[in-house]
Amino acid sequence: MSIIHRFPGGIHPREGKGGKAATAGLSITVAPLPSRVTIPLQQHIGAPCKPLVQKGDYVKVGQMIGEPGGFVSAAVHASISGKVVDVMPCIVANGTQVNAVVIDNDHTDTWVELHPVENPETITAKELSDLCRTMGIVGMGGATFPAAVKLAVPPEKHVDTLVINAAECEPYLSADHRLMVEHAEETLSGIRLVKKALNIPAVKIGVELNKPDAIEALKACLKEGEGIEVIGLKAQYPQGGEKQLTYALTGRKVRTGGLPLDIGVIVMNVGTCYAIHRAVYEGRPVIDRVVTVGGTVKQPANYLARIGSPVEWLLDTSEGMLPETRMLIYGGPMMGMAISRHDIPVTKGCSGILAMDKLSALAQEGPCIRCGRCIEACPMLLSPTMLDKYMRKGMYEEAEAAGVMNCMECGACSWSCPARRNLTQSFRSLKKVITKRRREEAALKGGK
């Protein structure tokens, strides 16, 4: 039996996965196709895609419409068949504009010809990495880091453990949960492909104990002696953080500024592994994903939604929001983003659309009472109250020295603060300023 290590800090917010608004027990439903989709050409960390289509072109489902713009990038594909209305900027959840392909649905759902891998059992690490890039596979848990880069392990690195993030610790969300319950075999198939291609001896799948049916479904599909272990973890946020999960399952600590790869570990999300299975065995690119629509909506659901579907389309499919709704969140309530527009498109990293009836997160800030709760809650062992002071005083060098760039923006500090300080927002702003200053300094040095 594996030893489970408790990572420092963390909180246990109300899960929101049970009760009348629960989605954990709701099977995945195929969402109806919208009449129009807006597909951003940057749905991943890294370089945006270069458009391969233009206004007036006809496209089929699964057709590549954006080619990777660099090594850290992933292709984008049409999620419906129809006519390209335009290639133009669109607003995404974080409020920025990115280039996007707008397609009008011809309602025939005509697919391109799919080409599954002929010999999946012999696929190499490079072949699997290349396939992930062309199939548009990214971290489906929300991080959206291109899977191709994660699978391109440098020759000097040795990986002995594949950690699978099946925690889904964000409140209200059930997308990964339902995927494991309903598609356990396919998910494990994707895990086995990565394990074999990269010659990784051990796999540890971390699932929080509030998902007993998912644990049972995965264990039922395991083969004896194959080196894959399903491990139940105490429900604790942010259990699904890359460094936190690695420590919980292996006891290994990722150094400050480092990656799990530095200690022989690769971390992947269950949704990513499921997408890898579909790419290899079906030749299917990422054109849809499971999205939880929950909270104060009339009909909570887990939808298999096409990429580019408007948020409004899924809300209407759930028969709209209840009158008490006060906030709309894109993603989970801890790390997601409050949005004020309904035309924002579903992207590869969108695991949920949540309507909420409380505005406590927007309550008036009070002065810091130096209770230390934010310090206790921080899983990265930072001092949020000190970093917040640096932000408000414009002390950027001091904030960087104090480790603000290690902040994972999990929101645990803000959640635990009785004064309702906007701590996470402060650190997000700090990181943006510091990143901009670094680029400007680099440009000045490069110009000399």
Side-chain angles (χ1 to χ4, degrees), residues 98-118:
V98 300
N99 220 20
V101 177
V102 183
I103 305 170
D104 269 352
N105 198 344
D106 66 359
H107 299 287
T108 65
D109 205 33
T110 304
W111 279 74
V112 295
E113 185 178 350
L114 300 181
H115 300 282
V117 175
E118 291 185 6

PDB file of all heavy atoms in Angstrom, residues 98-118:
ATOM      1  N   VAL A  98      -8.057  37.437 -28.582  1.00  0.00           N
ATOM      2  CA  VAL A  98      -7.200  36.534 -29.350  1.00  0.00           C
ATOM      3  C   VAL A  98      -7.848  36.311 -30.716  1.00  0.00           C
ATOM      4  O   VAL A  98      -9.062  36.450 -30.874  1.00  0.00           O
ATOM      5  CB  VAL A  98      -6.998  35.174 -28.632  1.00  0.00           C
ATOM      6  CG1 VAL A  98      -6.341  35.369 -27.272  1.00  0.00           C
ATOM      7  CG2 VAL A  98      -8.311  34.422 -28.468  1.00  0.00           C
ATOM      8  N   ASN A  99      -7.037  35.951 -31.676  1.00  0.00           N
ATOM      9  CA  ASN A  99      -7.556  35.680 -33.009  1.00  0.00           C
ATOM     10  C   ASN A  99      -8.386  34.405 -32.978  1.00  0.00           C
ATOM     11  O   ASN A  99      -8.040  33.435 -32.285  1.00  0.00           O
ATOM     12  CB  ASN A  99      -6.403  35.530 -33.999  1.00  0.00           C
ATOM     13  CG  ASN A  99      -6.701  36.179 -35.327  1.00  0.00           C
ATOM     14  OD1 ASN A  99      -7.574  37.043 -35.413  1.00  0.00           O
ATOM     15  ND2 ASN A  99      -5.986  35.778 -36.369  1.00  0.00           N
ATOM     16  N   ALA A 100      -9.477  34.364 -33.731  1.00  0.00           N
ATOM     17  CA  ALA A 100     -10.373  33.205 -33.708  1.00  0.00           C
ATOM     18  C   ALA A 100     -10.990  32.969 -35.076  1.00  0.00           C
ATOM     19  O   ALA A 100     -11.104  33.890 -35.890  1.00  0.00           O
ATOM     20  CB  ALA A 100     -11.475  33.405 -32.666  1.00  0.00           C
ATOM     21  N   VAL A 101     -11.389  31.727 -35.305  1.00  0.00           N
ATOM     22  CA  VAL A 101     -12.091  31.346 -36.536  1.00  0.00           C
ATOM     23  C   VAL A 101     -13.567  31.179 -36.201  1.00  0.00           C
ATOM     24  O   VAL A 101     -13.930  30.384 -35.321  1.00  0.00           O
ATOM     25  CB  VAL A 101     -11.529  30.033 -37.115  1.00  0.00           C
ATOM     26  CG1 VAL A 101     -12.325  29.620 -38.357  1.00  0.00           C
ATOM     27  CG2 VAL A 101     -10.048  30.191 -37.454  1.00  0.00           C
ATOM     28  N   VAL A 102     -14.411  31.933 -36.884  1.00  0.00           N
ATOM     29  CA  VAL A 102     -15.860  31.875 -36.665  1.00  0.00           C
ATOM     30  C   VAL A 102     -16.479  31.040 -37.777  1.00  0.00           C
ATOM     31  O   VAL A 102     -16.255  31.302 -38.959  1.00  0.00           O
ATOM     32  CB  VAL A 102     -16.475  33.289 -36.646  1.00  0.00           C
ATOM     33  CG1 VAL A 102     -17.965  33.218 -36.334  1.00  0.00           C
ATOM     34  CG2 VAL A 102     -15.759  34.176 -35.633  1.00  0.00           C
ATOM     35  N   ILE A 103     -17.260  30.022 -37.387  1.00  0.00           N
ATOM     36  CA  ILE A 103     -17.834  29.086 -38.361  1.00  0.00           C
ATOM     37  C   ILE A 103     -19.342  29.006 -38.175  1.00  0.00           C
ATOM     38  O   ILE A 103     -19.831  28.832 -37.053  1.00  0.00           O
ATOM     39  CB  ILE A 103     -17.236  27.669 -38.194  1.00  0.00           C
ATOM     40  CG1 ILE A 103     -15.709  27.712 -38.269  1.00  0.00           C
ATOM     41  CG2 ILE A 103     -17.793  26.718 -39.247  1.00  0.00           C
ATOM     42  CD1 ILE A 103     -15.037  26.396 -37.885  1.00  0.00           C
ATOM     43  N   ASP A 104     -20.081  29.130 -39.286  1.00  0.00           N
ATOM     44  CA  ASP A 104     -21.530  28.923 -39.272  1.00  0.00           C
ATOM     45  C   ASP A 104     -21.824  27.458 -39.549  1.00  0.00           C
ATOM     46  O   ASP A 104     -21.283  26.880 -40.510  1.00  0.00           O
ATOM     47  CB  ASP A 104     -22.219  29.802 -40.319  1.00  0.00           C
ATOM     48  CG  ASP A 104     -22.639  31.148 -39.749  1.00  0.00           C
ATOM     49  OD1 ASP A 104     -22.534  31.327 -38.520  1.00  0.00           O
ATOM     50  OD2 ASP A 104     -23.060  32.019 -40.538  1.00  0.00           O
ATOM     51  N   ASN A 105     -22.676  26.863 -38.743  1.00  0.00           N
ATOM     52  CA  ASN A 105     -22.982  25.440 -38.833  1.00  0.00           C
ATOM     53  C   ASN A 105     -23.884  25.128 -40.033  1.00  0.00           C
ATOM     54  O   ASN A 105     -24.907  25.793 -40.226  1.00  0.00           O
ATOM     55  CB  ASN A 105     -23.691  25.006 -37.535  1.00  0.00           C
ATOM     56  CG  ASN A 105     -23.675  23.515 -37.321  1.00  0.00           C
ATOM     57  OD1 ASN A 105     -23.411  22.743 -38.239  1.00  0.00           O
ATOM     58  ND2 ASN A 105     -23.955  23.095 -36.099  1.00  0.00           N
ATOM     59  N   ASP A 106     -23.486  24.123 -40.825  1.00  0.00           N
ATOM     60  CA  ASP A 106     -24.365  23.689 -41.924  1.00  0.00           C
ATOM     61  C   ASP A 106     -25.278  22.549 -41.479  1.00  0.00           C
ATOM     62  O   ASP A 106     -26.064  22.027 -42.273  1.00  0.00           O
ATOM     63  CB  ASP A 106     -23.543  23.276 -43.152  1.00  0.00           C
ATOM     64  CG  ASP A 106     -22.699  22.025 -42.906  1.00  0.00           C
ATOM     65  OD1 ASP A 106     -22.728  21.485 -41.777  1.00  0.00           O
ATOM     66  OD2 ASP A 106     -21.994  21.590 -43.845  1.00  0.00           O
ATOM     67  N   HIS A 107     -25.125  22.137 -40.210  1.00  0.00           N
ATOM     68  CA  HIS A 107     -25.971  21.134 -39.571  1.00  0.00           C
ATOM     69  C   HIS A 107     -25.937  19.767 -40.252  1.00  0.00           C
ATOM     70  O   HIS A 107     -26.877  18.989 -40.147  1.00  0.00           O
ATOM     71  CB  HIS A 107     -27.418  21.638 -39.472  1.00  0.00           C
ATOM     72  CG  HIS A 107     -27.542  22.881 -38.645  1.00  0.00           C
ATOM     73  ND1 HIS A 107     -27.428  22.888 -37.269  1.00  0.00           N
ATOM     74  CD2 HIS A 107     -27.728  24.176 -39.020  1.00  0.00           C
ATOM     75  CE1 HIS A 107     -27.555  24.137 -36.824  1.00  0.00           C
ATOM     76  NE2 HIS A 107     -27.739  24.936 -37.853  1.00  0.00           N
ATOM     77  N   THR A 108     -24.816  19.475 -40.921  1.00  0.00           N
ATOM     78  CA  THR A 108     -24.635  18.127 -41.487  1.00  0.00           C
ATOM     79  C   THR A 108     -23.632  17.320 -40.668  1.00  0.00           C
ATOM     80  O   THR A 108     -23.561  16.103 -40.798  1.00  0.00           O
ATOM     81  CB  THR A 108     -24.142  18.203 -42.945  1.00  0.00           C
ATOM     82  OG1 THR A 108     -22.824  18.781 -42.982  1.00  0.00           O
ATOM     83  CG2 THR A 108     -25.093  19.021 -43.806  1.00  0.00           C
ATOM     84  N   ASP A 109     -22.862  17.999 -39.834  1.00  0.00           N
ATOM     85  CA  ASP A 109     -21.835  17.362 -38.999  1.00  0.00           C
ATOM     86  C   ASP A 109     -20.939  16.442 -39.841  1.00  0.00           C
ATOM     87  O   ASP A 109     -20.682  15.292 -39.488  1.00  0.00           O
ATOM     88  CB  ASP A 109     -22.479  16.588 -37.855  1.00  0.00           C
ATOM     89  CG  ASP A 109     -21.539  16.439 -36.653  1.00  0.00           C
ATOM     90  OD1 ASP A 109     -20.742  17.365 -36.417  1.00  0.00           O
ATOM     91  OD2 ASP A 109     -21.602  15.404 -35.964  1.00  0.00           O
ATOM     92  N   THR A 110     -20.458  16.986 -40.937  1.00  0.00           N
ATOM     93  CA  THR A 110     -19.607  16.226 -41.856  1.00  0.00           C
ATOM     94  C   THR A 110     -18.166  16.223 -41.366  1.00  0.00           C
ATOM     95  O   THR A 110     -17.565  17.277 -41.165  1.00  0.00           O
ATOM     96  CB  THR A 110     -19.655  16.847 -43.265  1.00  0.00           C
ATOM     97  OG1 THR A 110     -21.018  16.903 -43.707  1.00  0.00           O
ATOM     98  CG2 THR A 110     -18.833  16.022 -44.244  1.00  0.00           C
ATOM     99  N   TRP A 111     -17.610  15.029 -41.197  1.00  0.00           N
ATOM    100  CA  TRP A 111     -16.260  14.882 -40.653  1.00  0.00           C
ATOM    101  C   TRP A 111     -15.219  14.695 -41.751  1.00  0.00           C
ATOM    102  O   TRP A 111     -15.524  14.187 -42.840  1.00  0.00           O
ATOM    103  CB  TRP A 111     -16.195  13.659 -39.737  1.00  0.00           C
ATOM    104  CG  TRP A 111     -16.707  13.904 -38.351  1.00  0.00           C
ATOM    105  CD1 TRP A 111     -18.016  14.041 -37.961  1.00  0.00           C
ATOM    106  CD2 TRP A 111     -15.920  14.044 -37.168  1.00  0.00           C
ATOM    107  NE1 TRP A 111     -18.095  14.257 -36.611  1.00  0.00           N
ATOM    108  CE2 TRP A 111     -16.823  14.256 -36.089  1.00  0.00           C
ATOM    109  CE3 TRP A 111     -14.557  13.998 -36.909  1.00  0.00           C
ATOM    110  CZ2 TRP A 111     -16.391  14.426 -34.785  1.00  0.00           C
ATOM    111  CZ3 TRP A 111     -14.124  14.168 -35.602  1.00  0.00           C
ATOM    112  CH2 TRP A 111     -15.035  14.389 -34.553  1.00  0.00           C
ATOM    113  N   VAL A 112     -13.994  15.087 -41.415  1.00  0.00           N
ATOM    114  CA  VAL A 112     -12.865  14.723 -42.273  1.00  0.00           C
ATOM    115  C   VAL A 112     -12.617  13.229 -42.090  1.00  0.00           C
ATOM    116  O   VAL A 112     -13.105  12.612 -41.141  1.00  0.00           O
ATOM    117  CB  VAL A 112     -11.584  15.509 -41.894  1.00  0.00           C
ATOM    118  CG1 VAL A 112     -11.754  16.970 -42.156  1.00  0.00           C
ATOM    119  CG2 VAL A 112     -11.204  15.256 -40.438  1.00  0.00           C
ATOM    120  N   GLU A 113     -11.839  12.645 -42.966  1.00  0.00           N
ATOM    121  CA  GLU A 113     -11.491  11.236 -42.813  1.00  0.00           C
ATOM    122  C   GLU A 113     -10.500  11.092 -41.659  1.00  0.00           C
ATOM    123  O   GLU A 113      -9.488  11.782 -41.608  1.00  0.00           O
ATOM    124  CB  GLU A 113     -10.865  10.704 -44.107  1.00  0.00           C
ATOM    125  CG  GLU A 113     -10.595   9.208 -44.075  1.00  0.00           C
ATOM    126  CD  GLU A 113     -10.030   8.696 -45.389  1.00  0.00           C
ATOM    127  OE1 GLU A 113     -10.029   9.475 -46.373  1.00  0.00           O
ATOM    128  OE2 GLU A 113      -9.580   7.532 -45.431  1.00  0.00           O
ATOM    129  N   LEU A 114     -10.821  10.210 -40.740  1.00  0.00           N
ATOM    130  CA  LEU A 114      -9.970  10.014 -39.570  1.00  0.00           C
ATOM    131  C   LEU A 114      -8.985   8.876 -39.803  1.00  0.00           C
ATOM    132  O   LEU A 114      -9.309   7.887 -40.483  1.00  0.00           O
ATOM    133  CB  LEU A 114     -10.828   9.703 -38.330  1.00  0.00           C
ATOM    134  CG  LEU A 114     -11.843  10.785 -37.944  1.00  0.00           C
ATOM    135  CD1 LEU A 114     -12.615  10.363 -36.700  1.00  0.00           C
ATOM    136  CD2 LEU A 114     -11.163  12.126 -37.720  1.00  0.00           C
ATOM    137  N   HIS A 115      -7.797   9.030 -39.260  1.00  0.00           N
ATOM    138  CA  HIS A 115      -6.732   8.041 -39.475  1.00  0.00           C
ATOM    139  C   HIS A 115      -6.147   7.589 -38.135  1.00  0.00           C
ATOM    140  O   HIS A 115      -5.200   8.193 -37.631  1.00  0.00           O
ATOM    141  CB  HIS A 115      -5.625   8.628 -40.357  1.00  0.00           C
ATOM    142  CG  HIS A 115      -6.100   9.049 -41.711  1.00  0.00           C
ATOM    143  ND1 HIS A 115      -6.330   8.152 -42.735  1.00  0.00           N
ATOM    144  CD2 HIS A 115      -6.419  10.290 -42.205  1.00  0.00           C
ATOM    145  CE1 HIS A 115      -6.746   8.801 -43.815  1.00  0.00           C
ATOM    146  NE2 HIS A 115      -6.811  10.101 -43.513  1.00  0.00           N
ATOM    147  N   PRO A 116      -6.705   6.528 -37.558  1.00  0.00           N
ATOM    148  CA  PRO A 116      -6.132   5.995 -36.312  1.00  0.00           C
ATOM    149  C   PRO A 116      -4.707   5.493 -36.545  1.00  0.00           C
ATOM    150  O   PRO A 116      -4.326   5.167 -37.682  1.00  0.00           O
ATOM    151  CB  PRO A 116      -7.076   4.839 -35.958  1.00  0.00           C
ATOM    152  CG  PRO A 116      -8.333   5.100 -36.742  1.00  0.00           C
ATOM    153  CD  PRO A 116      -7.895   5.801 -37.990  1.00  0.00           C
ATOM    154  N   VAL A 117      -3.923   5.436 -35.487  1.00  0.00           N
ATOM    155  CA  VAL A 117      -2.558   4.908 -35.580  1.00  0.00           C
ATOM    156  C   VAL A 117      -2.618   3.416 -35.905  1.00  0.00           C
ATOM    157  O   VAL A 117      -3.365   2.663 -35.269  1.00  0.00           O
ATOM    158  CB  VAL A 117      -1.800   5.148 -34.257  1.00  0.00           C
ATOM    159  CG1 VAL A 117      -0.424   4.490 -34.293  1.00  0.00           C
ATOM    160  CG2 VAL A 117      -1.671   6.644 -33.992  1.00  0.00           C
ATOM    161  N   GLU A 118      -1.849   2.991 -36.890  1.00  0.00           N
ATOM    162  CA  GLU A 118      -1.926   1.600 -37.352  1.00  0.00           C
ATOM    163  C   GLU A 118      -1.433   0.608 -36.305  1.00  0.00           C
ATOM    164  O   GLU A 118      -2.037  -0.449 -36.102  1.00  0.00           O
ATOM    165  CB  GLU A 118      -1.126   1.434 -38.655  1.00  0.00           C
ATOM    166  CG  GLU A 118      -1.763   2.145 -39.854  1.00  0.00           C
ATOM    167  CD  GLU A 118      -1.010   1.853 -41.137  1.00  0.00           C
ATOM    168  OE1 GLU A 118      -0.075   1.020 -41.117  1.00  0.00           O
ATOM    169  OE2 GLU A 118      -1.361   2.456 -42.171  1.00  0.00           O
TER     170      GLU A 118
END
